[in-house]
PDB file of all heavy atoms in Angstrom:
ATOM      1  N   MET J   1     -14.172 -39.223 -77.170  1.00 96.00           N
ATOM      2  CA  MET J   1     -14.256 -37.780 -76.927  1.00 96.00           C
ATOM      3  C   MET J   1     -15.555 -37.478 -76.205  1.00 96.00           C
ATOM      4  O   MET J   1     -16.513 -38.254 -76.301  1.00 96.00           O
ATOM      5  CB  MET J   1     -14.172 -36.983 -78.233  1.00 96.00           C
ATOM      6  CG  MET J   1     -15.296 -37.254 -79.226  1.00 96.00           C
ATOM      7  SD  MET J   1     -15.126 -36.238 -80.720  1.00 96.00           S
ATOM      8  CE  MET J   1     -13.548 -36.788 -81.312  1.00 96.00           C
ATOM      9  N   PRO J   2     -15.600 -36.379 -75.460  1.00 97.00           N
ATOM     10  CA  PRO J   2     -16.826 -36.033 -74.737  1.00 97.00           C
ATOM     11  C   PRO J   2     -17.893 -35.500 -75.684  1.00 97.00           C
ATOM     12  O   PRO J   2     -17.622 -35.116 -76.832  1.00 97.00           O
ATOM     13  CB  PRO J   2     -16.358 -34.959 -73.754  1.00 97.00           C
ATOM     14  CG  PRO J   2     -15.188 -34.326 -74.424  1.00 97.00           C
ATOM     15  CD  PRO J   2     -14.505 -35.432 -75.178  1.00 97.00           C
ATOM     16  N   LEU J   3     -19.117 -35.462 -75.182  1.00 97.00           N
ATOM     17  CA  LEU J   3     -20.238 -35.021 -75.992  1.00 97.00           C
ATOM     18  C   LEU J   3     -20.050 -33.586 -76.486  1.00 97.00           C
ATOM     19  O   LEU J   3     -20.451 -33.252 -77.615  1.00 97.00           O
ATOM     20  CB  LEU J   3     -21.529 -35.131 -75.170  1.00 97.00           C
ATOM     21  CG  LEU J   3     -22.837 -34.862 -75.901  1.00 97.00           C
ATOM     22  CD1 LEU J   3     -23.038 -35.837 -77.043  1.00 97.00           C
ATOM     23  CD2 LEU J   3     -24.005 -34.935 -74.915  1.00 97.00           C
ATOM     24  N   THR J   4     -19.449 -32.746 -75.693  1.00 97.00           N
ATOM     25  CA  THR J   4     -19.201 -31.361 -76.104  1.00 97.00           C
ATOM     26  C   THR J   4     -18.394 -31.308 -77.395  1.00 97.00           C
ATOM     27  O   THR J   4     -18.711 -30.542 -78.312  1.00 97.00           O
ATOM     28  CB  THR J   4     -18.465 -30.597 -74.989  1.00 97.00           C
ATOM     29  OG1 THR J   4     -19.308 -30.502 -73.848  1.00 97.00           O
ATOM     30  CG2 THR J   4     -18.076 -29.195 -75.443  1.00 97.00           C
ATOM     31  N   ASP J   5     -17.345 -32.130 -77.486  1.00 98.00           N
ATOM     32  CA  ASP J   5     -16.488 -32.128 -78.670  1.00 98.00           C
ATOM     33  C   ASP J   5     -17.224 -32.713 -79.879  1.00 98.00           C
ATOM     34  O   ASP J   5     -17.052 -32.238 -81.010  1.00 98.00           O
ATOM     35  CB  ASP J   5     -15.211 -32.911 -78.400  1.00 98.00           C
ATOM     36  CG  ASP J   5     -14.291 -32.205 -77.424  1.00 98.00           C
ATOM     37  OD1 ASP J   5     -14.720 -31.984 -76.275  1.00 98.00           O
ATOM     38  OD2 ASP J   5     -13.154 -31.863 -77.799  1.00 98.00           O
ATOM     39  N   ILE J   6     -18.015 -33.760 -79.650  1.00 98.00           N
ATOM     40  CA  ILE J   6     -18.796 -34.335 -80.744  1.00 98.00           C
ATOM     41  C   ILE J   6     -19.705 -33.272 -81.357  1.00 98.00           C
ATOM     42  O   ILE J   6     -19.744 -33.078 -82.578  1.00 98.00           O
ATOM     43  CB  ILE J   6     -19.627 -35.529 -80.241  1.00 98.00           C
ATOM     44  CG1 ILE J   6     -18.713 -36.693 -79.851  1.00 98.00           C
ATOM     45  CG2 ILE J   6     -20.637 -35.971 -81.290  1.00 98.00           C
ATOM     46  CD1 ILE J   6     -19.434 -37.837 -79.163  1.00 98.00           C
ATOM     47  N   CYS J   7     -20.431 -32.550 -80.497  1.00 98.00           N
ATOM     48  CA  CYS J   7     -21.366 -31.541 -80.987  1.00 98.00           C
ATOM     49  C   CYS J   7     -20.649 -30.358 -81.623  1.00 98.00           C
ATOM     50  O   CYS J   7     -21.151 -29.773 -82.601  1.00 98.00           O
ATOM     51  CB  CYS J   7     -22.266 -31.076 -79.850  1.00 98.00           C
ATOM     52  SG  CYS J   7     -23.320 -32.394 -79.186  1.00 98.00           S
ATOM     53  N   ALA J   8     -19.486 -30.004 -81.102  1.00 98.00           N
ATOM     54  CA  ALA J   8     -18.718 -28.905 -81.685  1.00 98.00           C
ATOM     55  C   ALA J   8     -18.279 -29.234 -83.111  1.00 98.00           C
ATOM     56  O   ALA J   8     -18.244 -28.362 -83.987  1.00 98.00           O
ATOM     57  CB  ALA J   8     -17.505 -28.587 -80.817  1.00 98.00           C
ATOM     58  N   GLU J   9     -17.947 -30.499 -83.366  1.00 98.00           N
ATOM     59  CA  GLU J   9     -17.552 -30.894 -84.723  1.00 98.00           C
ATOM     60  C   GLU J   9     -18.736 -30.812 -85.681  1.00 98.00           C
ATOM     61  O   GLU J   9     -18.565 -30.448 -86.854  1.00 98.00           O
ATOM     62  CB  GLU J   9     -16.952 -32.292 -84.709  1.00 98.00           C
ATOM     63  CG  GLU J   9     -15.607 -32.338 -84.004  1.00 98.00           C
ATOM     64  CD  GLU J   9     -14.874 -33.655 -84.177  1.00 98.00           C
ATOM     65  OE1 GLU J   9     -15.519 -34.669 -84.513  1.00 98.00           O
ATOM     66  OE2 GLU J   9     -13.641 -33.662 -83.980  1.00 98.00           O
ATOM     67  N   PHE J  10     -19.926 -31.121 -85.212  1.00 98.00           N
ATOM     68  CA  PHE J  10     -21.108 -30.955 -86.064  1.00 98.00           C
ATOM     69  C   PHE J  10     -21.240 -29.492 -86.504  1.00 98.00           C
ATOM     70  O   PHE J  10     -21.479 -29.205 -87.674  1.00 98.00           O
ATOM     71  CB  PHE J  10     -22.381 -31.366 -85.316  1.00 98.00           C
ATOM     72  CG  PHE J  10     -22.453 -32.816 -84.924  1.00 98.00           C
ATOM     73  CD1 PHE J  10     -23.296 -33.214 -83.895  1.00 98.00           C
ATOM     74  CD2 PHE J  10     -21.687 -33.781 -85.557  1.00 98.00           C
ATOM     75  CE1 PHE J  10     -23.398 -34.543 -83.522  1.00 98.00           C
ATOM     76  CE2 PHE J  10     -21.778 -35.126 -85.184  1.00 98.00           C
ATOM     77  CZ  PHE J  10     -22.626 -35.494 -84.163  1.00 98.00           C
ATOM     78  N   ARG J  11     -21.086 -28.599 -85.554  1.00 97.00           N
ATOM     79  CA  ARG J  11     -21.233 -27.171 -85.868  1.00 97.00           C
ATOM     80  C   ARG J  11     -20.133 -26.706 -86.817  1.00 97.00           C
ATOM     81  O   ARG J  11     -20.394 -25.958 -87.761  1.00 97.00           O
ATOM     82  CB  ARG J  11     -21.225 -26.350 -84.585  1.00 97.00           C
ATOM     83  CG  ARG J  11     -21.439 -24.858 -84.848  1.00 97.00           C
ATOM     84  CD  ARG J  11     -21.641 -24.074 -83.564  1.00 97.00           C
ATOM     85  NE  ARG J  11     -21.798 -22.652 -83.860  1.00 97.00           N
ATOM     86  CZ  ARG J  11     -22.942 -22.086 -84.216  1.00 97.00           C
ATOM     87  NH1 ARG J  11     -24.028 -22.815 -84.330  1.00 97.00           N
ATOM     88  NH2 ARG J  11     -23.013 -20.794 -84.466  1.00 97.00           N
ATOM     89  N   ARG J  12     -18.905 -27.160 -86.591  1.00 97.00           N
ATOM     90  CA  ARG J  12     -17.800 -26.773 -87.476  1.00 97.00           C
ATOM     91  C   ARG J  12     -18.036 -27.232 -88.904  1.00 97.00           C
ATOM     92  O   ARG J  12     -17.598 -26.592 -89.871  1.00 97.00           O
ATOM     93  CB  ARG J  12     -16.483 -27.355 -86.960  1.00 97.00           C
ATOM     94  CG  ARG J  12     -15.902 -26.649 -85.743  1.00 97.00           C
ATOM     95  CD  ARG J  12     -14.682 -27.389 -85.240  1.00 97.00           C
ATOM     96  NE  ARG J  12     -13.681 -27.564 -86.275  1.00 97.00           N
ATOM     97  CZ  ARG J  12     -12.725 -28.491 -86.255  1.00 97.00           C
ATOM     98  NH1 ARG J  12     -12.674 -29.351 -85.238  1.00 97.00           N
ATOM     99  NH2 ARG J  12     -11.854 -28.565 -87.231  1.00 97.00           N
ATOM    100  N   ALA J  13     -18.742 -28.345 -89.051  1.00 98.00           N
ATOM    101  CA  ALA J  13     -19.019 -28.876 -90.384  1.00 98.00           C
ATOM    102  C   ALA J  13     -20.239 -28.233 -91.033  1.00 98.00           C
ATOM    103  O   ALA J  13     -20.547 -28.525 -92.194  1.00 98.00           O
ATOM    104  CB  ALA J  13     -19.219 -30.384 -90.298  1.00 98.00           C
ATOM    105  N   GLY J  14     -20.932 -27.373 -90.309  1.00 97.00           N
ATOM    106  CA  GLY J  14     -22.075 -26.686 -90.888  1.00 97.00           C
ATOM    107  C   GLY J  14     -23.415 -27.318 -90.590  1.00 97.00           C
ATOM    108  O   GLY J  14     -24.377 -27.119 -91.340  1.00 97.00           O
ATOM    109  N   PHE J  15     -23.503 -28.066 -89.491  1.00 98.00           N
ATOM    110  CA  PHE J  15     -24.760 -28.722 -89.124  1.00 98.00           C
ATOM    111  C   PHE J  15     -25.304 -28.170 -87.810  1.00 98.00           C
ATOM    112  O   PHE J  15     -24.554 -27.718 -86.940  1.00 98.00           O
ATOM    113  CB  PHE J  15     -24.559 -30.224 -88.951  1.00 98.00           C
ATOM    114  CG  PHE J  15     -24.495 -31.004 -90.228  1.00 98.00           C
ATOM    115  CD1 PHE J  15     -23.279 -31.477 -90.712  1.00 98.00           C
ATOM    116  CD2 PHE J  15     -25.648 -31.280 -90.947  1.00 98.00           C
ATOM    117  CE1 PHE J  15     -23.212 -32.202 -91.887  1.00 98.00           C
ATOM    118  CE2 PHE J  15     -25.592 -32.010 -92.120  1.00 98.00           C
ATOM    119  CZ  PHE J  15     -24.377 -32.475 -92.603  1.00 98.00           C
ATOM    120  N   LEU J  16     -26.625 -28.269 -87.676  1.00 98.00           N
ATOM    121  CA  LEU J  16     -27.312 -28.050 -86.419  1.00 98.00           C
ATOM    122  C   LEU J  16     -27.943 -29.365 -85.980  1.00 98.00           C
ATOM    123  O   LEU J  16     -28.326 -30.192 -86.815  1.00 98.00           O
ATOM    124  CB  LEU J  16     -28.405 -26.989 -86.574  1.00 98.00           C
ATOM    125  CG  LEU J  16     -27.969 -25.572 -86.938  1.00 98.00           C
ATOM    126  CD1 LEU J  16     -29.205 -24.702 -87.161  1.00 98.00           C
ATOM    127  CD2 LEU J  16     -27.088 -24.974 -85.853  1.00 98.00           C
ATOM    128  N   ILE J  17     -28.067 -29.565 -84.677  1.00 98.00           N
ATOM    129  CA  ILE J  17     -28.710 -30.769 -84.153  1.00 98.00           C
ATOM    130  C   ILE J  17     -30.220 -30.556 -84.142  1.00 98.00           C
ATOM    131  O   ILE J  17     -30.738 -29.704 -83.418  1.00 98.00           O
ATOM    132  CB  ILE J  17     -28.206 -31.096 -82.740  1.00 98.00           C
ATOM    133  CG1 ILE J  17     -26.705 -31.384 -82.768  1.00 98.00           C
ATOM    134  CG2 ILE J  17     -28.965 -32.295 -82.165  1.00 98.00           C
ATOM    135  CD1 ILE J  17     -26.096 -31.538 -81.389  1.00 98.00           C
ATOM    136  N   ASP J  18     -30.925 -31.326 -84.967  1.00 98.00           N
ATOM    137  CA  ASP J  18     -32.377 -31.279 -85.003  1.00 98.00           C
ATOM    138  C   ASP J  18     -32.963 -32.168 -83.908  1.00 98.00           C
ATOM    139  O   ASP J  18     -33.987 -31.844 -83.326  1.00 98.00           O
ATOM    140  CB  ASP J  18     -32.870 -31.731 -86.383  1.00 98.00           C
ATOM    141  CG  ASP J  18     -34.369 -31.614 -86.535  1.00 98.00           C
ATOM    142  OD1 ASP J  18     -34.915 -30.543 -86.209  1.00 98.00           O
ATOM    143  OD2 ASP J  18     -34.998 -32.594 -86.980  1.00 98.00           O
ATOM    144  N   GLU J  19     -32.290 -33.291 -83.663  1.00 98.00           N
ATOM    145  CA  GLU J  19     -32.745 -34.213 -82.613  1.00 98.00           C
ATOM    146  C   GLU J  19     -31.554 -35.010 -82.097  1.00 98.00           C
ATOM    147  O   GLU J  19     -30.706 -35.442 -82.881  1.00 98.00           O
ATOM    148  CB  GLU J  19     -33.813 -35.161 -83.146  1.00 98.00           C
ATOM    149  CG  GLU J  19     -34.465 -36.019 -82.071  1.00 98.00           C
ATOM    150  CD  GLU J  19     -35.675 -36.785 -82.561  1.00 98.00           C
ATOM    151  OE1 GLU J  19     -36.110 -36.554 -83.697  1.00 98.00           O
ATOM    152  OE2 GLU J  19     -36.187 -37.629 -81.796  1.00 98.00           O
ATOM    153  N   LEU J  20     -31.495 -35.200 -80.806  1.00 98.00           N
ATOM    154  CA  LEU J  20     -30.502 -36.048 -80.149  1.00 98.00           C
ATOM    155  C   LEU J  20     -31.256 -37.161 -79.446  1.00 98.00           C
ATOM    156  O   LEU J  20     -32.218 -36.903 -78.720  1.00 98.00           O
ATOM    157  CB  LEU J  20     -29.672 -35.235 -79.149  1.00 98.00           C
ATOM    158  CG  LEU J  20     -28.527 -35.941 -78.424  1.00 98.00           C
ATOM    159  CD1 LEU J  20     -27.496 -34.912 -77.960  1.00 98.00           C
ATOM    160  CD2 LEU J  20     -29.012 -36.733 -77.189  1.00 98.00           C
ATOM    161  N   LEU J  21     -30.809 -38.394 -79.677  1.00 98.00           N
ATOM    162  CA  LEU J  21     -31.505 -39.547 -79.104  1.00 98.00           C
ATOM    163  C   LEU J  21     -30.525 -40.457 -78.378  1.00 98.00           C
ATOM    164  O   LEU J  21     -29.547 -40.920 -78.966  1.00 98.00           O
ATOM    165  CB  LEU J  21     -32.197 -40.339 -80.226  1.00 98.00           C
ATOM    166  CG  LEU J  21     -32.863 -41.657 -79.822  1.00 98.00           C
ATOM    167  CD1 LEU J  21     -34.021 -41.400 -78.864  1.00 98.00           C
ATOM    168  CD2 LEU J  21     -33.329 -42.419 -81.054  1.00 98.00           C
ATOM    169  N   GLU J  22     -30.775 -40.684 -77.088  1.00 97.00           N
ATOM    170  CA  GLU J  22     -30.078 -41.724 -76.341  1.00 97.00           C
ATOM    171  C   GLU J  22     -31.021 -42.922 -76.321  1.00 97.00           C
ATOM    172  O   GLU J  22     -31.977 -42.943 -75.542  1.00 97.00           O
ATOM    173  CB  GLU J  22     -29.736 -41.224 -74.942  1.00 97.00           C
ATOM    174  CG  GLU J  22     -28.709 -40.100 -74.964  1.00 97.00           C
ATOM    175  CD  GLU J  22     -28.535 -39.442 -73.604  1.00 97.00           C
ATOM    176  OE1 GLU J  22     -29.549 -38.973 -73.043  1.00 97.00           O
ATOM    177  OE2 GLU J  22     -27.399 -39.398 -73.118  1.00 97.00           O
ATOM    178  N   PRO J  23     -30.779 -43.913 -77.196  1.00 97.00           N
ATOM    179  CA  PRO J  23     -31.785 -44.953 -77.421  1.00 97.00           C
ATOM    180  C   PRO J  23     -32.074 -45.789 -76.179  1.00 97.00           C
ATOM    181  O   PRO J  23     -31.210 -45.978 -75.314  1.00 97.00           O
ATOM    182  CB  PRO J  23     -31.155 -45.824 -78.511  1.00 97.00           C
ATOM    183  CG  PRO J  23     -30.078 -44.993 -79.121  1.00 97.00           C
ATOM    184  CD  PRO J  23     -29.595 -44.098 -78.028  1.00 97.00           C
ATOM    185  N   ARG J  24     -33.283 -46.300 -76.126  1.00 96.00           N
ATOM    186  CA  ARG J  24     -33.660 -47.335 -75.171  1.00 96.00           C
ATOM    187  C   ARG J  24     -33.797 -48.641 -75.954  1.00 96.00           C
ATOM    188  O   ARG J  24     -34.201 -48.623 -77.124  1.00 96.00           O
ATOM    189  CB  ARG J  24     -34.986 -47.002 -74.492  1.00 96.00           C
ATOM    190  CG  ARG J  24     -34.990 -45.680 -73.731  1.00 96.00           C
ATOM    191  CD  ARG J  24     -34.107 -45.714 -72.500  1.00 96.00           C
ATOM    192  NE  ARG J  24     -34.139 -44.468 -71.769  1.00 96.00           N
ATOM    193  CZ  ARG J  24     -34.992 -44.218 -70.767  1.00 96.00           C
ATOM    194  NH1 ARG J  24     -35.881 -45.126 -70.394  1.00 96.00           N
ATOM    195  NH2 ARG J  24     -34.967 -43.054 -70.149  1.00 96.00           N
ATOM    196  N   PRO J  25     -33.486 -49.760 -75.365  1.00 96.00           N
ATOM    197  CA  PRO J  25     -33.649 -51.028 -76.082  1.00 96.00           C
ATOM    198  C   PRO J  25     -35.120 -51.291 -76.382  1.00 96.00           C
ATOM    199  O   PRO J  25     -35.992 -50.918 -75.595  1.00 96.00           O
ATOM    200  CB  PRO J  25     -33.083 -52.059 -75.099  1.00 96.00           C
ATOM    201  CG  PRO J  25     -33.197 -51.415 -73.747  1.00 96.00           C
ATOM    202  CD  PRO J  25     -32.995 -49.950 -73.983  1.00 96.00           C
ATOM    203  N   VAL J  26     -35.383 -51.929 -77.523  1.00 96.00           N
ATOM    204  CA  VAL J  26     -36.775 -52.236 -77.865  1.00 96.00           C
ATOM    205  C   VAL J  26     -37.295 -53.304 -76.905  1.00 96.00           C
ATOM    206  O   VAL J  26     -36.528 -54.108 -76.353  1.00 96.00           O
ATOM    207  CB  VAL J  26     -36.902 -52.699 -79.331  1.00 96.00           C
ATOM    208  CG1 VAL J  26     -36.426 -51.602 -80.271  1.00 96.00           C
ATOM    209  CG2 VAL J  26     -36.127 -53.976 -79.579  1.00 96.00           C
ATOM    210  N   PRO J  27     -38.600 -53.350 -76.659  1.00 95.00           N
ATOM    211  CA  PRO J  27     -39.155 -54.277 -75.670  1.00 95.00           C
ATOM    212  C   PRO J  27     -38.818 -55.744 -75.923  1.00 95.00           C
ATOM    213  O   PRO J  27     -38.645 -56.510 -74.969  1.00 95.00           O
ATOM    214  CB  PRO J  27     -40.665 -54.027 -75.777  1.00 95.00           C
ATOM    215  CG  PRO J  27     -40.786 -52.625 -76.263  1.00 95.00           C
ATOM    216  CD  PRO J  27     -39.629 -52.433 -77.190  1.00 95.00           C
ATOM    217  N   GLU J  28     -38.699 -56.140 -77.206  1.00 95.00           N
ATOM    218  CA  GLU J  28     -38.412 -57.545 -77.513  1.00 95.00           C
ATOM    219  C   GLU J  28     -37.088 -58.015 -76.908  1.00 95.00           C
ATOM    220  O   GLU J  28     -36.901 -59.202 -76.643  1.00 95.00           O
ATOM    221  CB  GLU J  28     -38.365 -57.759 -79.025  1.00 95.00           C
ATOM    222  CG  GLU J  28     -39.640 -57.406 -79.759  1.00 95.00           C
ATOM    223  CD  GLU J  28     -39.630 -55.986 -80.285  1.00 95.00           C
ATOM    224  OE1 GLU J  28     -39.707 -55.064 -79.460  1.00 95.00           O
ATOM    225  OE2 GLU J  28     -39.550 -55.814 -81.507  1.00 95.00           O
ATOM    226  N   MET J  29     -36.167 -57.086 -76.681  1.00 97.00           N
ATOM    227  CA  MET J  29     -34.871 -57.467 -76.133  1.00 97.00           C
ATOM    228  C   MET J  29     -35.001 -58.029 -74.719  1.00 97.00           C
ATOM    229  O   MET J  29     -34.183 -58.840 -74.287  1.00 97.00           O
ATOM    230  CB  MET J  29     -33.887 -56.287 -76.149  1.00 97.00           C
ATOM    231  CG  MET J  29     -32.444 -56.691 -75.901  1.00 97.00           C
ATOM    232  SD  MET J  29     -31.316 -55.316 -75.557  1.00 97.00           S
ATOM    233  CE  MET J  29     -31.340 -54.423 -77.108  1.00 97.00           C
ATOM    234  N   ALA J  30     -36.002 -57.591 -73.993  1.00 97.00           N
ATOM    235  CA  ALA J  30     -36.177 -58.070 -72.619  1.00 97.00           C
ATOM    236  C   ALA J  30     -36.395 -59.572 -72.581  1.00 97.00           C
ATOM    237  O   ALA J  30     -35.992 -60.241 -71.621  1.00 97.00           O
ATOM    238  CB  ALA J  30     -37.346 -57.350 -71.960  1.00 97.00           C
ATOM    239  N   GLU J  31     -37.016 -60.128 -73.623  1.00 96.00           N
ATOM    240  CA  GLU J  31     -37.257 -61.557 -73.670  1.00 96.00           C
ATOM    241  C   GLU J  31     -36.079 -62.315 -74.271  1.00 96.00           C
ATOM    242  O   GLU J  31     -35.687 -63.363 -73.762  1.00 96.00           O
ATOM    243  CB  GLU J  31     -38.524 -61.838 -74.482  1.00 96.00           C
ATOM    244  CG  GLU J  31     -39.783 -61.283 -73.854  1.00 96.00           C
ATOM    245  CD  GLU J  31     -41.031 -61.654 -74.639  1.00 96.00           C
ATOM    246  OE1 GLU J  31     -40.916 -62.460 -75.591  1.00 96.00           O
ATOM    247  OE2 GLU J  31     -42.107 -61.150 -74.306  1.00 96.00           O
ATOM    248  N   SER J  32     -35.514 -61.781 -75.372  1.00 95.00           N
ATOM    249  CA  SER J  32     -34.464 -62.522 -76.068  1.00 95.00           C
ATOM    250  C   SER J  32     -33.086 -62.341 -75.435  1.00 95.00           C
ATOM    251  O   SER J  32     -32.265 -63.258 -75.452  1.00 95.00           O
ATOM    252  CB  SER J  32     -34.407 -62.092 -77.539  1.00 95.00           C
ATOM    253  OG  SER J  32     -34.127 -60.702 -77.649  1.00 95.00           O
ATOM    254  N   HIS J  33     -32.811 -61.154 -74.858  1.00 96.00           N
ATOM    255  CA  HIS J  33     -31.499 -60.866 -74.256  1.00 96.00           C
ATOM    256  C   HIS J  33     -31.721 -60.045 -72.985  1.00 96.00           C
ATOM    257  O   HIS J  33     -31.464 -58.836 -72.955  1.00 96.00           O
ATOM    258  CB  HIS J  33     -30.614 -60.081 -75.238  1.00 96.00           C
ATOM    259  CG  HIS J  33     -30.316 -60.812 -76.506  1.00 96.00           C
ATOM    260  ND1 HIS J  33     -31.185 -60.816 -77.587  1.00 96.00           N
ATOM    261  CD2 HIS J  33     -29.244 -61.570 -76.866  1.00 96.00           C
ATOM    262  CE1 HIS J  33     -30.654 -61.531 -78.562  1.00 96.00           C
ATOM    263  NE2 HIS J  33     -29.484 -62.004 -78.154  1.00 96.00           N
ATOM    264  N   PRO J  34     -32.219 -60.674 -71.918  1.00 97.00           N
ATOM    265  CA  PRO J  34     -32.595 -59.916 -70.715  1.00 97.00           C
ATOM    266  C   PRO J  34     -31.436 -59.167 -70.073  1.00 97.00           C
ATOM    267  O   PRO J  34     -31.634 -58.051 -69.562  1.00 97.00           O
ATOM    268  CB  PRO J  34     -33.161 -60.985 -69.782  1.00 97.00           C
ATOM    269  CG  PRO J  34     -32.660 -62.294 -70.314  1.00 97.00           C
ATOM    270  CD  PRO J  34     -32.518 -62.109 -71.783  1.00 97.00           C
ATOM    271  N   ASP J  35     -30.232 -59.737 -70.076  1.00 96.00           N
ATOM    272  CA  ASP J  35     -29.100 -59.043 -69.461  1.00 96.00           C
ATOM    273  C   ASP J  35     -28.743 -57.773 -70.230  1.00 96.00           C
ATOM    274  O   ASP J  35     -28.467 -56.727 -69.626  1.00 96.00           O
ATOM    275  CB  ASP J  35     -27.883 -59.974 -69.389  1.00 96.00           C
ATOM    276  CG  ASP J  35     -28.070 -61.106 -68.396  1.00 96.00           C
ATOM    277  OD1 ASP J  35     -28.980 -61.006 -67.536  1.00 96.00           O
ATOM    278  OD2 ASP J  35     -27.318 -62.094 -68.472  1.00 96.00           O
ATOM    279  N   ASP J  36     -28.718 -57.870 -71.572  1.00 95.00           N
ATOM    280  CA  ASP J  36     -28.441 -56.686 -72.388  1.00 95.00           C
ATOM    281  C   ASP J  36     -29.532 -55.642 -72.201  1.00 95.00           C
ATOM    282  O   ASP J  36     -29.248 -54.436 -72.127  1.00 95.00           O
ATOM    283  CB  ASP J  36     -28.332 -57.072 -73.863  1.00 95.00           C
ATOM    284  CG  ASP J  36     -27.091 -57.883 -74.170  1.00 95.00           C
ATOM    285  OD1 ASP J  36     -25.981 -57.366 -73.970  1.00 95.00           O
ATOM    286  OD2 ASP J  36     -27.226 -59.036 -74.604  1.00 95.00           O
ATOM    287  N   HIS J  37     -30.772 -56.085 -72.146  1.00 97.00           N
ATOM    288  CA  HIS J  37     -31.873 -55.149 -71.949  1.00 97.00           C
ATOM    289  C   HIS J  37     -31.735 -54.405 -70.627  1.00 97.00           C
ATOM    290  O   HIS J  37     -31.912 -53.176 -70.557  1.00 97.00           O
ATOM    291  CB  HIS J  37     -33.209 -55.899 -71.991  1.00 97.00           C
ATOM    292  CG  HIS J  37     -34.402 -55.005 -71.903  1.00 97.00           C
ATOM    293  ND1 HIS J  37     -34.951 -54.617 -70.701  1.00 97.00           N
ATOM    294  CD2 HIS J  37     -35.145 -54.405 -72.871  1.00 97.00           C
ATOM    295  CE1 HIS J  37     -35.980 -53.820 -70.921  1.00 97.00           C
ATOM    296  NE2 HIS J  37     -36.121 -53.685 -72.223  1.00 97.00           N
ATOM    297  N   ALA J  38     -31.385 -55.131 -69.577  1.00 97.00           N
ATOM    298  CA  ALA J  38     -31.223 -54.495 -68.268  1.00 97.00           C
ATOM    299  C   ALA J  38     -30.079 -53.492 -68.280  1.00 97.00           C
ATOM    300  O   ALA J  38     -30.205 -52.380 -67.748  1.00 97.00           O
ATOM    301  CB  ALA J  38     -30.979 -55.569 -67.209  1.00 97.00           C
ATOM    302  N   SER J  39     -28.968 -53.859 -68.914  1.00 95.00           N
ATOM    303  CA  SER J  39     -27.811 -52.969 -68.973  1.00 95.00           C
ATOM    304  C   SER J  39     -28.111 -51.707 -69.779  1.00 95.00           C
ATOM    305  O   SER J  39     -27.821 -50.587 -69.341  1.00 95.00           O
ATOM    306  CB  SER J  39     -26.619 -53.710 -69.589  1.00 95.00           C
ATOM    307  OG  SER J  39     -25.518 -52.842 -69.764  1.00 95.00           O
ATOM    308  N   LEU J  40     -28.702 -51.885 -70.960  1.00 96.00           N
ATOM    309  CA  LEU J  40     -28.978 -50.742 -71.832  1.00 96.00           C
ATOM    310  C   LEU J  40     -30.117 -49.879 -71.309  1.00 96.00           C
ATOM    311  O   LEU J  40     -30.269 -48.726 -71.735  1.00 96.00           O
ATOM    312  CB  LEU J  40     -29.292 -51.235 -73.242  1.00 96.00           C
ATOM    313  CG  LEU J  40     -28.110 -51.866 -73.989  1.00 96.00           C
ATOM    314  CD1 LEU J  40     -28.581 -52.526 -75.276  1.00 96.00           C
ATOM    315  CD2 LEU J  40     -27.038 -50.826 -74.284  1.00 96.00           C
ATOM    316  N   SER J  41     -30.907 -50.395 -70.406  1.00 96.00           N
ATOM    317  CA  SER J  41     -31.950 -49.596 -69.767  1.00 96.00           C
ATOM    318  C   SER J  41     -31.370 -48.699 -68.678  1.00 96.00           C
ATOM    319  O   SER J  41     -32.030 -47.747 -68.237  1.00 96.00           O
ATOM    320  CB  SER J  41     -33.030 -50.504 -69.167  1.00 96.00           C
ATOM    321  OG  SER J  41     -33.697 -51.234 -70.178  1.00 96.00           O
ATOM    322  N   ARG J  42     -30.147 -49.023 -68.236  1.00 94.00           N
ATOM    323  CA  ARG J  42     -29.489 -48.211 -67.208  1.00 94.00           C
ATOM    324  C   ARG J  42     -28.485 -47.229 -67.792  1.00 94.00           C
ATOM    325  O   ARG J  42     -28.425 -46.064 -67.370  1.00 94.00           O
ATOM    326  CB  ARG J  42     -28.766 -49.123 -66.203  1.00 94.00           C
ATOM    327  CG  ARG J  42     -29.657 -49.987 -65.341  1.00 94.00           C
ATOM    328  CD  ARG J  42     -28.867 -50.616 -64.195  1.00 94.00           C
ATOM    329  NE  ARG J  42     -27.721 -51.380 -64.681  1.00 94.00           N
ATOM    330  CZ  ARG J  42     -27.761 -52.678 -64.985  1.00 94.00           C
ATOM    331  NH1 ARG J  42     -28.898 -53.352 -64.860  1.00 94.00           N
ATOM    332  NH2 ARG J  42     -26.682 -53.313 -65.400  1.00 94.00           N
ATOM    333  N   VAL J  43     -27.653 -47.707 -68.739  1.00 93.00           N
ATOM    334  CA  VAL J  43     -26.561 -46.904 -69.298  1.00 93.00           C
ATOM    335  C   VAL J  43     -26.604 -46.989 -70.815  1.00 93.00           C
ATOM    336  O   VAL J  43     -26.578 -48.096 -71.372  1.00 93.00           O
ATOM    337  CB  VAL J  43     -25.185 -47.403 -68.790  1.00 93.00           C
ATOM    338  CG1 VAL J  43     -24.064 -46.560 -69.387  1.00 93.00           C
ATOM    339  CG2 VAL J  43     -25.126 -47.361 -67.274  1.00 93.00           C
ATOM    340  N   PRO J  44     -26.656 -45.868 -71.525  1.00 95.00           N
ATOM    341  CA  PRO J  44     -26.706 -45.920 -72.984  1.00 95.00           C
ATOM    342  C   PRO J  44     -25.370 -46.377 -73.569  1.00 95.00           C
ATOM    343  O   PRO J  44     -24.303 -45.960 -73.105  1.00 95.00           O
ATOM    344  CB  PRO J  44     -27.023 -44.481 -73.387  1.00 95.00           C
ATOM    345  CG  PRO J  44     -26.480 -43.654 -72.265  1.00 95.00           C
ATOM    346  CD  PRO J  44     -26.670 -44.475 -71.024  1.00 95.00           C
TER     347      PRO J  44
END
């Protein structure tokens, strides 16, 4: 489902969004899994 629908369900359930986070990979991933690090640095 799109982000709009995800957020609408939060509101229907009685919640407000205090923080939204699109994570970045931790730096250690660049050494242990460079391909995953590169991918997750471009697209969440």
Side-chain angles (χ1 to χ4, degrees):
M1 62 179 60
L3 187 60
T4 295
D5 290 61
I6 292 172
C7 297
E9 291 190 340
F10 296 159
R11 183 171 178 84
R12 285 174 55 201
F15 281 105
L16 296 175
I17 298 173
D18 184 49
E19 188 170 352
L20 183 156
L21 174 65
E22 293 171 304
R24 301 292 181 92
V26 299
E28 301 94 290
M29 194 193 295
E31 295 184 7
S32 60
H33 299 84
D35 291 343
D36 290 298
H37 184 272
S39 175
L40 292 171
S41 296
R42 293 192 304 270
V43 180

